[in-house]
Amino acid sequence: MTVGDNVKKYLWIFIKYFSMIFFSFVSLLPIVSCVITAFKTDAEYQNTNVMTPPESWLNFQNFIDAFQKADMGRAFLNSAIVVVIVVAGSVMIGSMLAYVLNRFTFPGNGLIRNLFLFATLLPGIAMQVSTYQLMYQLGFINHLYGYIILMMGTDVISIYIFIQFFENIPTSLDESAYMDGASYVTIFFRILFPLLKPAIVTCMILKGVGVYNEYYSAQLYLVDKKIQTVAMSLYTFTGPLGSKYNLICAGVIITLLPALIIFIAFQKQIYSGLTSGAVKG
Amino acid sequence: MASAAKTNKSERPFNFLRWAKSRKGQQTLIIIGFSIIPLLLLFTFTYFPFVKMAQFSFYDRNYIKVRGFVGLKNYIDVFKRPDIFKSLWLSLYYMGGAVVQLALALYLATIFCFGVKGGNFFKGCMFFPYLINGIAIGFIFKFFYTRGFVLDTVLQWIGFDLENLPYWLRDTSINNVSLVATSVWKYFGQNMVLFVGAMMSVDASLYEAAELDGANKWQQFKYIMLPSIKTIVMLNLIMSITGSLSAFEPPYVIMSGGGNGTATYFVKMHEVAHTSQKLGLASAMAIVLLIIIFIVTILQKLFFKYVFKNAEDEDKGAAAKREKKLAKLRAKEAAR
């Protein structure tokens, strides 16, 4: 190796790690600054620069205040109800439809696939104009169940993930079970559904995070404070509390924690789920 | 199904239970039973509103009262009202942002594929913003961009003078760029994860062979990585056009509904529908956007058909090209 090669090699290593560190810094900076501010007392917040570390990293007062002011206990309960039901519903609906579409040829099979595919082209927010009226007529506004049903109805990605997964399960499995006298319902619930586990985990995470973070429909349809979700509970901090950033940041950090925990626990599934969803789309 | 039942009846008395137990009957029942709920939901919450919206777009109405049929007037208004038309132009900022975002994601994904110590940690840091809810992002960036706060402080560390820095969200010459930056911040990590996934699907021995044959990093990128991810990059690029047209979140959550000339088309539409309660006009806006999205999607399909013919051909072509380039490199090496 010549000297020039050596210089090139070290330059490459430098560029590589500089890019990594720089962009990780850019990604974390807004969040870290929030964490710093969340630990500051009112006096500290007013008198120090935002990037100065707080005097005590154990000052959890803001978190307690934010949690109580925004009634987050209630919000977490609501979000938990919504996420659990929507995720369970989506997994059931998605896997059942995928089973039918993948295992049986029947007139309309292609049509159903195309109807769902076409639906992905219609951006949800564009449709809200008339969806709102529909929700109003159904009496779904300001009810948790209305919002839950709406959230379940607009899921296409999980159907695709399940169809993809079914393609890799041999049909001979169903066939032999049928020969042994099992009904199709039994085949699906007893034999195939347990095999779908990896796909189910992927769908649960993607859908769960998506529903937990949803705020646009939530603020249209969940007006009453008692049924607000976690993302919406942050709206408490607009208005008179709008400049108390130490309190706001604490609230923001609280809402991030569930997503962070899920992310750390299921990193691999999230990455692979995204990749498989994107390749199909 | 009804006719099948009838013909059955003429031969022998139709027995539903017996039919339901037959293979054909079981299949029919499970197909109907398993697809009825998803289809019901799909039609109720996607196609029914879609048809309604198309109908609304020809009327002057609010949520409760219909004031009358107005024909194409709403559509004409979409193009005539300067505020609406201007909001469509804002999409260009978001398209620019999307290009930056894809380039950045591609660059970082390439680095990951060459191997980085602690790569998973870096990847996690860059990906995490994608998982933050919109309202939290709104607060985080209101705070981030406030005069003298996070961004200004960091810029002062590297030698900028506060006096020369603009008001990131108030100054109309820069605020749209600030907002687009938040969108890039949220999505570049997610794009990068997609690209890494596609790049990793290439056989690793290919890189080793190339390395042994003296191909440098740039050549490895150009001849091995790029062909393998061409499709997904193009797909993302085209999708970003439709994404830019429907940009919504940054102005809606950070600017509390698009003040200071940051209202994108969707934000404007939300305002027309829910604040001014002009349902007809908002519906027409949505339909215009959908038509644009369809055109882009069809162009994209045609483009793919024309450029790649089909995925298999593309892979073969790319592989052949790769082989040829590698052979050339080998020959060069041998000559030296």
Side-chain angles (χ1 to χ4, degrees):
Chain A
M1 240 184 215
T2 62
V3 180
D5 279 347
N6 253 335
V7 169
K8 248 188 201 166
K9 193 178 139 203
Y10 286 115
L11 189 67
W12 166 244
I13 290 175
F14 173 75
I15 292 173
K16 198 159 84 169
Y17 285 97
F18 177 78
S19 308
M20 285 294 123
I21 292 167
F22 178 75
F23 286 106
S24 296
F25 174 75
V26 170
S27 291
L28 291 184
L29 176 67
I31 305 168
V32 169
S33 62
C34 255
V35 175
I36 292 173
T37 305
F39 283 99
K40 288 182 179 173
T41 62
D42 285 355
E44 243 186 308
Y45 166 67
Q46 258 142 28
N47 299 325
T48 59
N49 183 285
V50 282
M51 294 305 284
T52 317
E55 256 166 45
S56 156
W57 285 101
L58 294 170
N59 172 23
F60 288 102
Q61 196 54 44
N62 290 323
F63 292 92
I64 296 164
D65 288 349
F67 195 87
Q68 283 170 347
K69 279 221 170 72
D71 201 4
M72 281 189 170
R74 185 77 197 220
F76 270 108
L77 182 67
N78 290 333
S79 275
I81 294 170
V82 171
V83 168
V84 167
I85 299 179
V86 171
V87 164
S90 296
V91 166
M92 283 320 296
I93 291 173
S95 59
M96 283 158 93
L97 185 69
Y99 169 63
V100 166
L101 289 179
N102 178 259
R103 288 306 206 241
F104 303 108
T105 43
F106 57 93
N109 188 317
L111 179 71
I112 294 178
R113 283 171 192 248
N114 283 331
L115 280 173
F116 276 96
L117 198 65
F118 186 74
T120 55
L121 287 180
L122 308 171
I125 296 171
M127 310 281 286
Q128 283 307 325
V129 178
S130 44
T131 307
Y132 188 84
Q133 222 221 3
L134 173 74
M135 295 285 282
Y136 180 77
Q137 282 166 347
L138 289 171
F140 277 2
I141 290 179
N142 230 347
H143 292 291
L144 222 43
Y145 60 78
Y147 178 67
I148 289 172
I149 294 173
L150 177 72
M151 285 291 104
M152 267 197 267
T154 48
D155 191 38
V156 181
I157 291 161
S158 61
I159 295 172
Y160 273 95
I161 293 178
F162 283 125
I163 288 184
Q164 241 179 329
F165 208 82
F166 268 119
E167 276 165 8
N168 295 325
I169 302 176
T171 41
S172 56
L173 206 65
D174 316 25
E175 205 54 37
S176 59
Y178 187 83
M179 289 305 158
D180 290 343
S183 70
Y184 286 115
V185 179
T186 319
I187 293 174
F188 175 74
F189 283 106
R190 287 281 166 76
I191 300 171
L192 295 176
F193 196 73
L195 289 178
L196 287 177
K197 211 173 130 195
I200 292 172
V201 173
T202 302
C203 284
M204 282 173 73
I205 297 164
L206 290 183
K207 187 78 185 167
V209 172
V211 173
Y212 177 76
N213 284 342
E214 207 283 334
Y215 64 95
Y216 182 76
S217 297
Q219 53 144 46
L220 280 181
Y221 303 121
L222 304 175
V223 189
D224 198 340
K225 203 148 183 359
K226 282 199 175 122
I227 53 171
Q228 287 187 346
T229 57
V230 174
M232 286 181 69
S233 68
L234 285 177
Y235 271 127
T236 315
F237 301 112
T238 48
L241 293 172
S243 59
K244 283 192 73 173
Y245 273 109
N246 51 349
L247 194 65
I248 295 174
C249 286
V252 165
I253 300 300
I254 294 174
T255 68
L256 293 193
L257 285 177
L260 183 65
I261 292 165
I262 295 284
F263 175 59
I264 291 171
F266 296 102
Q267 216 170 352
K268 279 219 175 76
Q269 282 92 335
I270 292 178
Y271 292 155
S272 70
L274 275 176
T275 315
S276 67
V279 170
K280 197 74 194 174
Chain B
M1 212 182 90
S3 65
K6 238 178 220 165
T7 50
N8 249 352
K9 220 174 210 170
S10 60
E11 285 158 16
R12 55 194 152 128
F14 177 68
N15 185 333
F16 179 78
L17 274 179
R18 196 186 315 140
W19 174 80
K21 272 189 188 144
S22 76
R23 184 160 195 166
K24 189 93 194 118
Q26 271 207 38
Q27 285 190 356
T28 313
L29 286 180
I30 200 162
I31 288 167
I32 294 171
F34 275 15
S35 55
I36 190 122
I37 297 174
L39 283 176
L40 203 68
L41 286 170
L42 181 71
F43 277 98
T44 316
F45 292 109
T46 305
Y47 287 104
F48 178 74
F50 178 60
V51 172
K52 271 278 175 217
M53 194 170 68
Q55 189 195 341
F56 285 176
S57 69
F58 297 105
Y59 287 87
D60 179 11
R61 62 168 301 161
N62 60 22
Y63 278 110
I64 302 147
K65 216 168 65 191
V66 183
R67 287 197 207 88
F69 184 80
V70 291
L72 288 173
K73 187 180 168 297
N74 287 326
Y75 287 93
I76 295 165
D77 278 357
V78 171
F79 294 100
K80 266 200 173 155
R81 272 179 57 161
D83 56 334
I84 294 177
F85 206 66
K86 192 195 156 235
S87 69
L88 210 48
W89 282 109
L90 281 187
S91 309
L92 289 179
Y93 280 100
Y94 290 85
M95 281 183 206
V99 172
V100 172
Q101 175 186 317
L102 288 177
L104 192 60
L106 199 56
Y107 168 69
L108 292 166
T110 311
I111 292 181
F112 273 116
C113 285
F114 285 129
V116 181
K117 283 206 183 72
N120 257 340
F121 172 75
F122 291 126
K123 200 154 108 182
C125 292
M126 293 181 210
F127 179 80
F128 184 64
Y130 177 69
L131 298 177
I132 300 177
N133 72 75
I135 296 173
I137 287 186
F139 281 114
I140 289 174
F141 279 100
K142 264 184 216 164
F143 175 65
F144 185 77
Y145 283 131
T146 301
R147 185 70 167 174
F149 278 18
V150 187
L151 181 59
D152 289 351
T153 306
V154 173
L155 288 178
Q156 276 171 297
W157 286 349
I158 54 174
F160 283 90
D161 197 354
L162 188 61
E163 298 300 313
N164 301 328
L165 293 172
Y167 284 81
W168 299 105
L169 294 177
R170 212 187 294 165
D171 188 341
T172 48
S173 63
I174 190 99
N175 60 6
N176 278 306
V177 177
S178 311
L179 292 182
V180 170
T182 67
S183 167
V184 175
W185 175 80
K186 181 170 177 182
Y187 290 104
F188 83 88
Q190 187 249 12
N191 279 188
M192 183 189 72
V193 167
L194 289 183
F195 293 158
V196 170
M199 284 173 174
M200 289 299 191
S201 64
V202 180
D203 191 359
S205 63
L206 219 53
Y207 295 112
E208 278 166 35
E211 189 108 25
L212 282 177
D213 290 337
N216 64 26
K217 299 282 182 206
W218 169 247
Q219 285 164 327
Q220 287 179 35
F221 172 73
K222 196 171 160 200
Y223 298 121
I224 303 177
M225 277 180 186
L226 207 56
S228 66
I229 56 161
K230 203 160 61 180
T231 319
I232 196 167
V233 172
M234 282 313 294
L235 198 71
N236 270 286
L237 195 64
I238 294 167
M239 263 174 17
S240 67
I241 297 175
T242 46
S244 313
L245 285 168
S246 39
F248 176 75
E249 194 167 291
Y252 186 73
V253 296
I254 301 170
M255 303 300 288
S256 318
N260 276 353
T262 59
T264 55
Y265 193 73
F266 260 24
V267 171
K268 201 79 212 166
M269 195 174 79
H270 174 86
E271 185 196 305
V272 169
H274 292 280
T275 314
S276 331
Q277 298 247 332
K278 287 186 177 162
L279 228 56
L281 182 59
S283 298
M285 287 177 76
I287 299 279
V288 168
L289 188 77
L290 289 181
I291 291 171
I292 297 175
I293 290 177
F294 289 153
I295 292 173
V296 173
T297 310
I298 290 166
L299 284 180
Q300 163 200 336
K301 285 269 150 68
L302 287 178
F303 180 82
F304 271 88
K305 224 175 169 182
Y306 190 73
V307 176
F308 297 139
K309 299 207 174 69
N310 62 49
E312 254 170 47
D313 274 11
E314 192 254 316
D315 278 344
K316 256 186 238 157
K321 227 188 247 168
R322 224 148 44 211
E323 285 304 313
K324 225 191 258 169
K325 297 285 180 193
L326 280 175
K328 222 184 253 170
L329 282 172
R330 277 196 200 106
K332 233 188 238 166
E333 194 74 359
R336 221 186 279 165

